[in-house]
Amino acid sequence: MLKKNLLSIAVVAAAMSLAACNDKEVVAEPVEPEATTDVVVEPEAAAEPMVEADVAPEAAATQTIGEMAAGNKDLTILTAALQAAGLDSMLMAEDKYTVFAPTDDAFAGLLTKLNITKEELLADQATLKSVLPYHVVPMVVKAADIPYGTAIETANGQTITISDANVITDSNGNTANIVGTDMMATNGVVHVIDTVLLPK
């Protein structure tokens, strides 16, 4: 009987040990989480506002066409001619114009061609009132917008044409080169030319 009890106790003890072993196997060892590298995404830097290298000519314009011509040492005869013809006020008004402005050298060529003096030219108001408006287009036409090969009506009602080489042909077939472009004024734009244009 004692043997049976001891055997039973031994079986129970063995069973308990086995159960305990099984419990240990079932309980998983805690696993440390893998080290993760957090990727820090830096916020994008705010885009800097665009700054244009050159100030737009319109923004920089502070003078009218008349004032600009009066302050240009190469346009003294044009300025005097505008004043003599009473047209200088027109180019100081708020209306928009494009002026093809002949230089003093251009006027010197005209004086030689007509065999007259500067004073004689400035005294001839009829000629000035015909010739000067022929250099004016009653709208703003920048160099990039010139309609090459197309007749352009001027303020005196006659037309000029301009080639893609920036050569102007007047109604008499004479030509003038555009030697300076896009001088912006508060009331338009000035392009400088090397010959005086003559209407019919």
Side-chain angles (χ1 to χ4, degrees):
M1 183 76 178
L2 181 60
K3 284 183 180 180
K4 280 186 180 181
N5 287 340
L6 286 175
L7 184 59
S8 297
I9 292 170
V11 169
V12 170
M16 289 178 68
S17 294
L18 184 59
C21 287
N22 284 342
D23 285 348
K24 285 180 183 173
E25 287 176 3
V26 170
V27 175
E29 293 273 335
V31 178
E32 291 186 15
E34 291 184 11
T36 58
T37 305
D38 290 338
V39 178
V40 178
V41 178
E42 300 209 3
E44 291 185 10
E48 293 184 9
M50 289 180 61
V51 177
E52 296 198 7
D54 296 320
V55 178
E58 295 89 337
T62 58
Q63 296 179 308
T64 64
I65 294 172
E67 292 168 337
M68 184 185 296
N72 190 312
K73 62 182 178 61
D74 294 322
L75 302 177
T76 62
I77 300 178
L78 173 62
T79 300
L82 288 168
Q83 292 170 347
L87 297 174
D88 54 326
S89 58
M90 177 183 81
L91 297 182
M92 292 185 184
E94 293 183 0
D95 294 335
K96 300 298 183 182
Y97 299 103
T98 298
V99 174
F100 295 96
T103 62
D104 288 351
D105 287 343
F107 273 102
L110 176 66
L111 296 176
T112 300
K113 182 176 181 179
L114 299 178
N115 194 28
I116 59 174
T117 65
K118 172 184 167 182
E119 290 70 28
E120 289 173 327
L121 175 65
L122 296 179
D124 188 349
Q125 286 203 8
T127 297
L128 293 178
K129 287 182 178 180
S130 173
V131 171
L132 295 177
Y134 193 48
H135 294 76
V136 178
V137 176
M139 67 176 65
V140 176
V141 183
K142 295 182 185 178
D145 302 324
I146 292 174
Y148 297 126
T150 302
I152 302 170
E153 186 171 346
T154 66
N156 82 342
Q158 296 188 40
T159 62
I160 57 174
T161 57
I162 305 175
S163 74
D164 56 8
N166 282 332
V167 176
I168 302 176
T169 302
D170 66 21
S171 58
N172 294 297
N174 300 315
T175 60
N177 297 300
I178 300 175
V179 295
T181 60
D182 291 347
M183 295 168 59
M184 300 305 302
T186 56
N187 61 339
V189 61
V190 174
H191 305 303
V192 179
I193 59 176
D194 65 359
T195 305
V196 177
L197 305 173
L198 296 174
K200 285 185 178 178

